[in-house]
């Protein structure tokens, strides 16, 4: 069984703060099963966008986990915003979480 999106986001925000970073929920989505997108902002103004990994990365044992993949890496904020706007048209129930942390690999489980 997969952890509810609202609980996952709440835990992620707490973990970022406890690691010395900053996190905020930019857009709340469906509490139980909304897709979660993560914007990592850097001091130089660039951003990395993490998105839910495709189902092909899951097997029966990890079907309840949340895995992410990098959609845009160190891109201009306008490109990230455009991609998120397209995703919102497809899925209006998604979550967007903004992080200001130098390293998120320990906080966000990556696919592959």
């Amino acid at each position: 069984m997969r952890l509810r999106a609202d609980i996952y986001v709440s835990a992620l925000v707490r973990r970022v703060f406890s690691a010395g970073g900053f996190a905020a929920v930019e857009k709340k989505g469906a509490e139980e099963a909304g897709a979660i997108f993560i914007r990592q902002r850097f001091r130089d103004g660039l951003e990395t966008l993490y998105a839910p990994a495709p189902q092909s990365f899951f097997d029966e044992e990890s079907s309840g986990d949340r895995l992410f993949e990098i959609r845009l890496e160190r891109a201009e904020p306008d490109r990230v915003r455009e991609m998120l706007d397209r995703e919102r048209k497809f899925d209006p129930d998604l979550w967007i979480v903004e992080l200001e942390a130098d390293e998120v690999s320990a906080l966000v489980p990556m696919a592959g």
Side-chain angles (χ1 to χ4, degrees), residues 6-23:
D6 59 342
I7 295 171
Y8 185 89
V9 168
S10 178
L12 176 61
V13 168
R14 285 177 182 243
R15 289 182 71 199
V16 171
F17 276 112
S18 71
F22 174 79

Side-chain angles (χ1 to χ4, degrees), residues 5 7 11 19 32-33 43-45 58-59 70 82-83 86 92 101 106:
I7 295 171
E32 282 134 21
R43 291 185 180 106
D44 62 3
F58 294 89
D59 55 21
I70 294 176
E82 288 171 6
M83 181 167 279
R86 283 193 304 268

Side-chain angles (χ1 to χ4, degrees), residues 3 5 9-10 17 21 23-24 28 32 40 51-52 79 83 86 89-90 95 99 102-103 112:
L3 189 62
V9 168
S10 178
F17 276 112
K28 288 186 176 184
E32 282 134 21
Q40 179 185 14
R79 287 189 59 213
M83 181 167 279
R86 283 193 304 268
K89 288 178 184 174
F90 178 72
W95 289 75
L99 308 179
D102 293 329
E103 185 61 44

Side-chain angles (χ1 to χ4, degrees), residues 29-86:
E31 292 181 351
E32 282 134 21
I36 301 169
F37 288 79
I38 300 170
R39 296 174 78 164
Q40 179 185 14
R41 294 184 185 251
F42 297 97
R43 291 185 180 106
D44 62 3
L46 300 178
E47 299 181 12
T48 295
L49 178 64
Y50 299 88
Q55 288 298 110
S56 61
F57 284 100
F58 294 89
D59 55 21
E60 289 181 24
E61 295 170 4
S62 66
S63 64
D65 298 339
R66 288 192 184 269
L67 297 176
F68 294 87
E69 68 176 2
I70 294 176
R71 287 275 175 90
L72 293 172
E73 189 167 15
R74 297 192 68 88
E76 293 294 328
D78 291 341
R79 287 189 59 213
V80 173
R81 171 61 45 215
E82 288 171 6
M83 181 167 279
L84 286 171
D85 288 344
R86 283 193 304 268

